[in-house]
Amino acid sequence: KQWYQRRVRGINRGQQQDSLTSSQTHKPPQRERTALTSQLPTTQSDPQKEKEMSERVKILAGNAHPELAQEIAKYLGVALGKADVGKFSNGETSVMISESIRDMDVFIIQPTCNPNVNDNLMELLVMADAIKRASAKRITAVIPCFGYARQDKKDKSRAPITGKLVANLIETAGIDRVITMDLHASQIQGFFNIPVDNLYAEPLIVKYIRKSIPGEKVIVSPDAGGVKRAKLISDKLGAELAIIHKERRKAGEVSEMILVGDVRDKVALLVDDMADTCGTLATAAELLISKGASGVYALVTHGVLSGPAIDRINNSGLAELVITNSIPHAEKADKCPKLKTISISHMLAEAIRRTHHGESISSLFTDHK
């Protein structure tokens, strides 16, 4: 109603306006902004909120993934904060916040990922301590890839639960909230006594599949633990579901794979949360091709790509390995033409904006359908 009133007032003042089609005339502007959520910063629609955010929000980054931090800051329309993060000559982590952050809502962009998992984790903890002592109002750690997530249970005698230890360290450092993406196990949220927002790359993966992968598809889970993730994607695409049961001799080495489901004459899409040495993906691709799949793609949230991963991908039957930029991998992408990247910067930035303004995070996934 207000929109139509403003338009009538504009006509009465004799303002010239471009002619609108009948469909555009009856389309509420808010729907147009919702449709463009993935391309345009939501803050552009509210100058007052945009100004308040630039004054009260500070985005800081360590050395783990500065490119992602720059993309997030650009999306939000704020400048990346000034923080000098490095090492002393004896190897200890050095942090100096070079501007006032008193009473500000501070977000630290720092995946605890390879190649320097321990250094990245230590930088996050020391930065949090420095920010807390600088009188920040709230500290949120944005950890797109959560290190040590696979050590989430005591699966052998005398084994540690390092994921819980890392959660304790993060809380002790003074962090008030954690934003992460596709945890290896959702139960890791229970390791924390602070709020944890576990975002999902699934809407972005579904969008990529619809746009870039043609043909009749079947979604394949490479293990029993990923069935829920694969089922969500298959339901959204209206595709069939298949499961690969695998047995391991030891960590990183698969002894046997059994396919449950039909992939003949279909494009098989392997979906998982993490690709490390890529032994499972390479073996699964061979199995699917032997069962009659017309093509095999792998879509993974976190591309760890350690050890012989790049060689295995290049020599495998995979047409593409699609990963997000939760972990920096520019050098590896140059060595592997099959590697494709989906950016998660817009999703993380929107989660930061909504966290600051006290808005719903869960509706973020609806917006990205």
Side-chain angles (χ1 to χ4, degrees), residues 327-358:
I327 298 174
H329 54 260
E331 294 181 3
K332 295 173 182 176
D334 294 337
K335 299 176 183 178
C336 182
K338 295 183 179 181
L339 208 58
K340 308 297 179 184
T341 304
I342 300 174
S343 177
I344 59 172
S345 60
H346 288 188
M347 179 174 282
L348 291 174
E350 186 63 15
I352 289 173
R353 188 194 68 78
R354 296 185 183 203
T355 297
H356 174 68
H357 292 303

Side-chain angles (χ1 to χ4, degrees), residues 61-69 85 109-117 119-121 123-124 127 144 326-329:
N63 295 314
H65 204 339
E67 296 84 4
L68 179 61
V85 183
I109 314 298
Q110 182 79 347
T112 52
C113 59
N114 58 305
N116 303 306
V117 178
D119 284 346
N120 294 337
L121 175 59
E123 284 183 6
L124 172 64
M127 287 181 73
S326 63
I327 298 174
H329 54 260

Side-chain angles (χ1 to χ4, degrees), residues 184-227:
H184 186 66
S186 296
Q187 297 90 324
I188 292 174
Q189 295 173 85
F191 289 172
F192 292 87
N193 294 313
I194 57 175
V196 177
D197 293 311
N198 184 27
L199 309 182
Y200 301 99
E202 163 249 325
L204 302 177
I205 289 175
V206 169
K207 183 178 178 181
Y208 181 90
I209 293 171
R210 286 172 174 164
K211 181 179 179 181
S212 304
I213 303 178
E216 185 181 359
K217 306 169 186 68
V218 55
I219 309 301
V220 183
S221 174
D223 55 38
V227 173

Side-chain angles (χ1 to χ4, degrees), residues 140 171 277 303:
T140 301
E171 287 187 43
T277 59

Side-chain angles (χ1 to χ4, degrees), residues 112 117-118 121 145-168 183-192 251 273-274 276:
T112 52
V117 178
N118 295 330
L121 175 59
C145 180
F146 189 86
Y148 292 100
R150 285 177 286 182
Q151 299 184 45
D152 60 340
K153 57 184 177 295
K154 188 174 180 180
D155 53 355
K156 297 177 183 177
S157 299
R158 299 173 293 281
I161 306 179
T162 318
K164 171 61 175 172
L165 172 62
V166 171
N168 290 343
L183 285 170
H184 186 66
S186 296
Q187 297 90 324
I188 292 174
Q189 295 173 85
F191 289 172
F192 292 87
D273 68 313
M274 187 174 293
D276 193 347

